[in-house]
Amino acid sequence: MAGSTFGTLFRVTTAGESHGPGNVCIVDGCPPGMELSAEDLIPDLQRRKPGQSRIVSPRKEDDTPEILSGVFEGRTTGTPIAILIRNEDQRSQDYGDIKDKYRPGHADYTFDAKFGLRDYRGGGRSSARETTVRVAAAAIAKKLLRLTHGIEVVGYVDQVGELRATGIKPEEVTLEQVEANPVRCPDADMAAKMEELITDVRKRQDSIGGASTIVATNVPAGWGEPVFDKLKADLGKAMFSLPAVMGVEYGQGFGVATARGTEHCDTFVPDADKAPPIGTDTNRHGGMLGGISSGLPIVLRCAVKPTSSIPQDRPTVDRNGKPTTIATRGRHDPCLLPRFVPMGEAMMALVLADHMLRQRAIHTADQSG
Ligand code: EPS
């Protein structure tokens, strides 16, 4: 399926649209013998689903996953794991008006340009609804990474519009801090301001962008495949495959453009907690050197654009290029960031699970990695 499969050894294929009967994924490559049930998938699906707070889409979905294959007597069998999540609260009539028009800034136009037709209901396959099954698949990846290496992947919101939480230490952020407020910003004071801003933007029938940092701790040194499948290349592809992501940076990120080498390059130091026993005193490199993990936390940050579906009337054109106006009715997120966090974590976990298996594959003889 062109473009719908991700990963090499830990491989995920998704199918489904926002207003069809449901979304499915097939996870191929999960090693046999790992305890797994639908319960393992639920916590992250609950964090991702719409209707969870007053600052996200009010669409009501349970997002209860059904595991259809690949698990026997509570353990993975090593065969493909199929997961189904049904759509339950579609309101396709909301989209009747935009059937032949293009939302500014939306994939409506490019889907039509590509396929010559599109499922216009709720954004079809370009909808964030598709990420349900990615998050389900990644819950398996997260469990595998935790059990084998103690790896934790945690994301958070650090910017909404002009409000930026500075001073957060990425590697110290806990899931509990992130989940303590509906914005998912671990700085509680800033989270309250961000929530107010999102509420205000929604009242004005507008939307707002922001940024999210995703961190993986305990990733051993050595993961990533030079040259085309470097960890930073695969993570970049993973993040850019999510709806609305416009930028990805690692560590010091775009700050490197003004940095001197003497300021940017982290100094190697002995670190007895690592194998090999080497670390760096700072982490401006974002946990990857040469696209290979260094043993330091992997830190990436995504810039996410404001939701393109806005209820205000705006100028656009129809399918024939004739000027008209458009207002989107649907139940849209005024800010994508709070629900972006589990999606970003999911893509990071899928990449890491894939590279864990790839590292294992090249070290079968010496059993390291
Ligand atoms: C979305 C539009 C909205 C959101 C949807 C993402 O869909 P609808 O208008 O049908 O309510 O609710 O998010 C989800 C349903 C979800 O599960 O994430 C979009 O255009 O991306």
Side-chain angles (χ1 to χ4, degrees), residues 19 48 50 57 59 95 122 127-129 330-332 339:
H19 286 216
R48 196 220 66 90
S57 161
R59 180 165 154 171
Y95 290 86
S127 169
R129 180 88 192 128
R331 292 153 293 176
H332 298 283
R339 296 206 296 131

Side-chain angles (χ1 to χ4, degrees), residues 298-369:
I298 295 178
V299 182
L300 70 76
R301 187 161 182 265
C302 293
V304 179
K305 70 179 184 178
T307 324
S308 50
S309 304
I310 308 174
Q312 284 185 40
D313 236 7
R314 285 176 299 153
T316 189
V317 297
D318 67 15
R319 296 190 79 193
N320 301 312
K322 191 169 156 250
T324 179
T325 59
I326 192 166
T328 316
R329 282 213 285 278
R331 292 153 293 176
H332 298 283
D333 299 81
C335 177
L336 298 170
L337 274 303
R339 296 206 296 131
F340 176 83
V341 168
M343 301 176 200
E345 289 175 7
M347 293 315 295
M348 168 99 84
L350 290 178
V351 171
L352 292 177
D354 194 40
H355 279 276
M356 177 194 92
L357 296 180
R358 292 173 77 168
Q359 178 69 350
R360 219 184 240 186
I362 65 164
H363 282 287
T364 44
D366 61 14
Q367 296 298 309
S368 67

Side-chain angles (χ1 to χ4, degrees), residues 66-352:
E66 294 171 53
I67 296 181
L68 307 181
S69 66
V71 177
F72 178 63
E73 295 180 339
R75 287 181 186 273
T76 55
T77 56
T79 59
I81 302 168
I83 302 167
L84 165 66
I85 298 176
R86 294 175 198 277
N87 294 328
E88 292 174 339
D89 186 24
Q90 303 95 317
R91 242 176 31 195
S92 301
Q93 67 276 16
D94 285 354
Y95 290 86
D97 282 355
I98 69 161
K99 175 159 122 12
D100 297 313
K101 300 177 185 176
Y102 300 128
R103 281 170 279 182
H106 198 277
D108 291 340
Y109 167 62
T110 47
F111 262 67
D112 252 0
K114 179 173 178 59
F115 296 107
L117 54 87
R118 76 188 147 102
D119 178 349
Y120 59 84
R121 304 163 307 162
R125 182 120 177 105
S126 69
S127 169
R129 180 88 192 128
E130 179 270 336
T131 64
T132 45
V133 282
R134 300 193 202 197
V135 168
I140 301 173
K142 279 186 175 177
K143 185 163 186 179
L144 183 64
L145 292 165
R146 190 175 297 126
L147 290 176
T148 55
H149 292 84
I151 292 171
E152 295 294 336
V153 180
V154 175
Y156 57 90
V157 174
D158 57 32
Q159 187 167 353
V160 170
E162 55 282 6
L163 297 176
R164 179 153 184 192
T166 50
I168 297 174
K169 291 203 171 81
E171 65 284 358
E172 289 177 11
V173 172
T174 64
L175 182 64
E176 292 66 35
Q177 290 169 341
V178 175
E179 295 305 306
N181 62 69
V183 181
R184 298 205 161 85
C185 173
D187 174 337
D189 292 341
M190 190 51 88
K193 290 184 189 136
M194 288 171 171
E195 188 174 351
E196 217 174 287
L197 178 57
I198 296 170
T199 305
D200 182 61
V201 161
R202 165 174 264 166
K203 278 196 199 125
R204 293 171 195 271
Q205 299 199 316
D206 207 343
S207 61
I208 192 162
S212 166
T213 293
I214 315 287
V215 188
T217 48
N218 296 330
V219 178
W223 293 7
E225 304 293 334
V227 289
F228 295 115
D229 296 350
K230 291 175 178 178
L231 210 45
K232 72 174 172 184
D234 282 358
L235 285 170
K237 177 170 180 172
M239 297 301 150
F240 279 118
S241 77
L242 287 168
V245 170
M246 295 296 275
V248 178
E249 59 181 7
Y250 301 106
Q252 194 180 6
F254 273 64
V256 298
T258 53
R260 306 290 188 272
T262 44
E263 301 155 359
H264 169 72
C265 300
D266 306 303
T267 304
F268 284 111
V269 291
D271 186 343
D273 292 338
K274 292 195 159 54
I278 293 167
T280 56
D281 61 350
T282 46
N283 188 17
R284 287 183 284 267
H285 67 287
M288 293 169 286
L289 292 166
I292 298 173
S293 57
S294 67
L296 270 284
I298 295 178
V299 182
L300 70 76
R301 187 161 182 265
C302 293
V304 179
K305 70 179 184 178
T307 324
S308 50
S309 304
I310 308 174
Q312 284 185 40
D313 236 7
R314 285 176 299 153
T316 189
V317 297
D318 67 15
R319 296 190 79 193
N320 301 312
K322 191 169 156 250
T324 179
T325 59
I326 192 166
T328 316
R329 282 213 285 278
R331 292 153 293 176
H332 298 283
D333 299 81
C335 177
L336 298 170
L337 274 303
R339 296 206 296 131
F340 176 83
V341 168
M343 301 176 200
E345 289 175 7
M347 293 315 295
M348 168 99 84
L350 290 178
V351 171
L352 292 177

